Amino acid sequence: MSNAKRSINFAIAFMTVISIFTFIVPMIDFQSLGESTEIIFPNLLFFLFIVLFSFLQFLFRLLLTSKHYVKDKLFFTLNMRSSKLKNRTVLYLGTIMLFLWPVIVSKNISLIKLGNLLNLVIWILVIEALVYLSNKHTKIHFMSYGILIRGLDFRIDIPLGDSLLNHSGFYSYHDVQSYSIENNYLELVLFNNLGTIQGYISSDRIPPVSAFFESKGIRKIVRY
């Protein structure tokens, strides 16, 4: 996915969440909830900035890539190799910031209670579930006219100009500079240092896949 589309995706998700937080959340009468506010409000923030934000970015990717997924044009599909640590980092940082925000604002560390810590653990489990779904169900589809990465991709993508790594989207074979296969690990290098597409490939698929790439004019890099 190009940086322009990544920026649009981020902007739509961010503005939607901020709009809900700014205009809808204040309409909730938290005073009537009594002590339950201490549980409901933090969880509402976690839901908006973790779950809803991830879902909106996923929905945008799904809509953007749906037109490219044509079963009759599909040659083969590979599981992607993704940086699980990188996928977790943004979600963890966001969760920890939301967790510590009351302490930062009030400068009162006593606001951190056992219930809050247990709540944080629950949301870490939610993050792990999102990471698991994203890595297991986001696939690399090799179509007759390009490479399509799509699936249940709940990864939060912040377009900071970093190199792409298995970002959902469509990539023409003309965008691929070279490929390498080592230890059942396939790496496609995109032109202009745009990034890489990385996946796992079984031994029996290596010969036909190599022949397929050669037919597309993609050169092989042999690493020693």
Side-chain angles (χ1 to χ4, degrees):
M1 185 183 296
S2 67
N3 284 327
K5 292 176 181 178
R6 290 173 63 197
S7 298
I8 293 173
N9 187 5
F10 179 83
I12 291 175
F14 182 77
M15 292 307 299
T16 300
V17 170
I18 290 298
S19 297
I20 293 174
F21 180 71
T22 304
F23 299 107
I24 297 179
V25 172
M27 297 173 62
I28 302 174
D29 184 11
F30 288 103
Q31 291 184 350
S32 63
L33 299 175
E35 294 182 357
S36 299
T37 302
E38 295 182 3
I39 299 176
I40 295 175
F41 185 71
N43 282 291
L44 179 59
L45 292 182
F46 283 132
F47 176 80
L48 288 176
F49 288 94
I50 302 298
V51 177
L52 182 60
F53 197 101
S54 300
F55 178 78
L56 290 172
Q57 287 209 319
F58 152 70
L59 189 61
F60 181 87
R61 296 185 189 107
L62 194 66
L63 293 174
L64 196 65
T65 59
S66 60
K67 64 179 180 180
H68 295 290
Y69 187 73
V70 182
K71 287 187 176 181
D72 293 340
K73 302 293 184 180
L74 176 62
F75 281 3
F76 57 94
T77 298
L78 298 180
N79 293 325
M80 71 171 186
R81 177 179 178 178
S82 186
S83 174
K84 295 180 181 180
L85 177 60
K86 182 178 180 180
N87 295 343
R88 288 183 176 96
T89 300
V90 174
L91 290 167
Y92 278 153
L93 287 177
T95 301
I96 292 172
M97 282 299 298
L98 290 173
F99 174 72
L100 294 176
W101 185 250
V103 177
I104 295 173
V105 173
S106 64
K107 298 179 181 180
N108 183 6
I109 197 171
S110 65
L111 292 176
I112 299 179
K113 301 176 182 178
L114 179 60
N116 302 123
L117 291 173
L118 292 176
N119 197 44
L120 177 63
V121 171
I122 291 173
W123 279 102
I124 288 175
L125 294 176
V126 171
I127 289 174
E128 288 300 311
L130 292 175
V131 172
Y132 173 81
L133 289 173
S134 298
N135 285 281
K136 184 174 179 60
H137 297 288
T138 302
K139 305 292 185 179
I140 306 173
H141 303 288
F142 291 85
M143 320 296 290
S144 60
Y145 48 87
I147 302 169
L148 178 64
I149 302 178
R150 77 192 299 260
L152 293 176
D153 190 355
F154 294 102
R155 293 173 292 177
I156 289 182
D157 180 27
I158 301 177
L160 297 177
D162 55 327
S163 297
L164 301 181
L165 175 59
N166 289 344
H167 280 64
S168 288
F170 178 77
Y171 305 87
S172 166
Y173 288 113
H174 297 295
D175 296 328
V176 182
Q177 178 179 344
S178 61
Y179 80 96
S180 63
I181 300 176
E182 184 177 358
N183 298 325
N184 299 107
Y185 160 51
L186 169 68
E187 181 178 71
L188 299 167
V189 179
L190 304 176
F191 277 106
N192 301 319
N193 296 317
L194 187 61
T196 59
I197 297 172
Q198 302 173 356
Y200 296 102
I201 182 171
S202 58
S203 299
D204 60 310
R205 278 190 171 184
I206 292 177
V209 167
S210 296
F212 177 77
F213 289 150
E214 290 176 8
S215 71
K216 297 297 182 181
I218 303 173
R219 62 190 179 94
K220 182 177 182 179
I221 300 296
V222 179
R223 294 187 172 91
Y224 298 98

